[in-house]
């Protein structure tokens, strides 16, 4: 029991959560910035720029605005970082790491990965700034729109794996990864392709990247919920968003193509898959503008829902 | 130089305040100094929308009477350590607007100025050189 506890603690704080996720997440952010700069024919910031930014922010003064609720204002960045480290500890990496069953299954993970968005909403409303409040309302509208399709994706994967192994819906991520190692990645199954597309559409909205960076829109809301944050607490919010990049990309990898070698090579393969996802996001970021909030909500309630229902229906009929 | 100031030297975030400028210097700052040809992002610079994220403050314009209080309010909101740069001749001496009844400047009466970039408007190369000087000062303070 005690050994299990320390194993979970290690998973949350060092690998694959905590230190590993921070290093990989910041590196992915650096690659994204560099790639976008190159696509705009600029030289761009150094690859390690997010590390420099983070260290610098830790050395600056932290202000709390007069209108802000001090406790909530300073606690929310911590919630973001903690929940994302936990989410990383719940993600299996094929051949390298299997999460402890005590940590919970896919449905618990579904709630944990929505915590950073909630903490961002709380941060926006607690900062006492009108820009933060607008960011809060936009984040909430967007979240209501994209949480539905992602649940459809999770349920179709669980039903598919459960039916194929002759049992009920299978919500354990470790079992889903095991199934794919034995039978090949789910993305090659034509019934799962619409679900994978729905998940791909969900990634930019959850990570707050163009064309869905509506809540933190730099040019109209001045980064919305982040507006009033300074110093270390701003650094923690940036850190949470870096770990979130790994966690959301990692969940996509675990759900649709986890196959890879074991040992150190498995970690490299995982990082490479995350890199491919972030590379696609960067190309999108350099190529498109920002949608309005009403367009984004209609988009999410139309296409990802349609694809999710399509996958779910095909899985249900084949049962 | 300690660890934090080494990292800080590579991550100066910049913030513009227009204190009654004719917009000439702002055009030079916002477009010329940031377009692909000059690309100051390779120095780690990043324009931020909020004064609370800023490290280096670029002030343009001759500080009109109406904008003085707002300028000081925004200046107070930038967390320490910070570096102030006066861009263009207006904040340095008043430029063509000096001795006008509508002008409260020059800037160094109100806030400590670290770097002056003269010109009407200054060339992009001059702005980048001024920024490089400001980055050195910023690293010694961080």
């Amino acid at each position: 029991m005690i050994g299990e506890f320390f194993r979970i603690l290690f998973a949350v704080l060092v690998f694959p959560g905590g230190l590993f996720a921070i290093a990989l997440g910041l590196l992915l952010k650096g690659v994204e910035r560099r790639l976008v700069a190159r696509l705009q024919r600029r030289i761009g910031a150094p690859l390690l720029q997010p590390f420099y930014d983070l260290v610098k922010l830790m050395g600056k003064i932290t202000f709390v605005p007069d209108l802000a609720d001090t406790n909530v204002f300073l606690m929310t960045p911590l919630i973001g970082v903690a929940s994302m480290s936990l989410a990383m500890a719940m993600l299996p990496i094929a051949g390298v790491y299997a999460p402890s069953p005590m940590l919970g299954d896919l449905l618990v993970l579904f709630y944990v990965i929505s915590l950073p968005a909630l903490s961002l909403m709380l941060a926006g409303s607690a900062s006492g700034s009108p820009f933060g409040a607008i960011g809060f309302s936009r984040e909430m509208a967007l979240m209501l729109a994209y949480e539905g399709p992602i649940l459809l994706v999770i349920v179709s994967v669980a039903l598919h794996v459960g039916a194929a192994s002759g049992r009920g819906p299978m919500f354990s991520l470790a079992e889903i990864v095991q199934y794919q190692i034995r039978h090949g990645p789910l993305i090659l199954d034509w019934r799962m392709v619409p679900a994978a597309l729905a998940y791909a559409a969900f990634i930019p909205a959850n990570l707050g990247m163009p064309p869905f960076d509506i809540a933190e829109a730099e040019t109209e809301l001045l980064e919305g919920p982040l507006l009033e944050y300074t110093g270390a607490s701003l650094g923690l919010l940036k850190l949470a968003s870096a770990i979130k990049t790994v966690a959301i990309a990692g969940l996509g990898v675990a759900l649709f193509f986890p196959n890879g070698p074991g040992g150190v090579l498995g970690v490299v393969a995982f990082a490479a898959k995350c890199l491919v996802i972030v590379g696609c996001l960067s190309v999108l970021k350099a190529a498109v503008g920002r949608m309005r909030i009403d367009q984004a909500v209609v988009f999410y309630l139309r296409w990802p829902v349609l694809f999710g229902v399509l996958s779910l229906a095909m899985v249900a009929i084949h049962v | 130089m300690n660890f934090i100031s080494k990292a800080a030297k590579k991550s100066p975030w910049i913030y513009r305040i227009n204190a009654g400028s004719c917009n000439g210097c702002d055009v030079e700052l916002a477009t010329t100094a940031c377009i692909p040809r000059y690309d100051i992002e390779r120095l780690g610079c990043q324009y931020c929308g909020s004064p609370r994220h800023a490290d280096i403050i670029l002030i343009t314009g001759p500080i009109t009477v109406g904008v003085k209080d707002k300028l000081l309010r925004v200046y107070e909101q930038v967390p320490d350590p910070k570096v102030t740069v006066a861009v263009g001749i207006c904040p340095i001496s008043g430029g063509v607007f000096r001795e006008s009844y509508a002008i409260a400047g020059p800037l160094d009466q109100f806030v400590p100025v670290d770097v002056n970039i003269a010109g009407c408007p200054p060339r992009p190369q001059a702005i980048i050189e001024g920024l490089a000087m400001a980055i050195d000062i910023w690293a010694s303070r961080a």
Side-chain angles (χ1 to χ4, degrees), chain A residues 10-12 14-22 85 88-91 93 97:
Chain A
F10 180 80
V12 172
V14 184
F15 179 86
L19 292 178
F20 171 75
I22 289 171
S85 292
M88 280 305 291
M90 292 165 72
L91 279 178
I93 301 175
Y97 170 77

Side-chain angles (χ1 to χ4, degrees), chain B residues 37-125:
Chain B
R37 186 178 183 107
Y38 302 106
D39 188 31
I40 50 171
E41 198 190 0
R42 72 188 125 154
L43 305 176
C45 289
Q46 181 178 325
Y47 271 117
C48 34
S50 161
R52 292 194 189 273
H53 303 175
D55 303 315
I56 296 179
I57 315 157
L58 306 165
I59 300 176
T60 57
I63 328 295
T64 57
V65 173
V67 89
K68 191 192 106 189
D69 292 341
K70 283 97 174 173
L71 169 73
L72 293 179
R73 250 180 86 187
V74 175
Y75 184 83
E76 289 300 314
Q77 295 200 1
V78 179
D80 285 325
K82 56 190 168 191
V83 175
T84 317
V85 181
V87 179
I89 197 64
C90 290
I92 299 172
S93 73
V96 292
F97 305 108
R98 68 185 173 275
E99 293 164 15
S100 160
Y101 64 90
I103 300 302
L107 177 64
D108 57 4
Q109 290 180 359
F110 312 115
V111 296
V113 177
D114 297 295
V115 180
N116 285 323
I117 305 174
C120 184
R123 290 173 65 83
Q125 290 88 335

Side-chain angles (χ1 to χ4, degrees), chain A residues 33 42 53 56 60 228, chain B residues 11 41 50 52-55:
Chain A
R33 254 180 97 170
R42 290 187 287 123
D53 290 348
K56 177 205 72 180
K60 292 204 76 163
E228 295 287 346
Chain B
S11 161
E41 198 190 0
S50 161
R52 292 194 189 273
H53 303 175
D55 303 315

Side-chain angles (χ1 to χ4, degrees), chain A residues 33 40-46 49 52-53 55-56 59-61 63 222-223 226-230 234 238, chain B residues 3-4 7-8 10-11 13 36 39 41-42 44-46 49-50 52-55 76-81 138:
Chain A
R33 254 180 97 170
Q40 294 171 344
R41 298 203 177 170
R42 290 187 287 123
I43 292 173
Q49 188 63 41
Y52 304 142
D53 290 348
V55 172
K56 177 205 72 180
K60 292 204 76 163
I61 296 179
F63 281 158
L222 316 174
E223 303 192 37
L226 307 187
L227 176 71
E228 295 287 346
Y229 278 90
T230 49
L234 177 64
K238 299 260 176 202
Chain B
F3 179 59
I4 287 189
K10 291 177 176 165
S11 161
W13 289 1
D39 188 31
E41 198 190 0
R42 72 188 125 154
C45 289
Q46 181 178 325
S50 161
R52 292 194 189 273
H53 303 175
D55 303 315
E76 289 300 314
Q77 295 200 1
V78 179
D80 285 325
W138 148 247

Side-chain angles (χ1 to χ4, degrees), chain A residues 158-189:
Chain A
L159 269 181
H160 179 76
V161 172
S165 27
R167 280 174 291 181
M170 175 58 67
F171 282 108
S172 157
L173 252 184
E175 295 279 337
I176 291 174
V177 169
Q178 279 305 318
Y179 170 82
Q180 293 182 74
I181 290 172
R182 268 180 269 125
H183 298 94
L186 282 181
I187 197 166
L188 296 181
D189 187 320

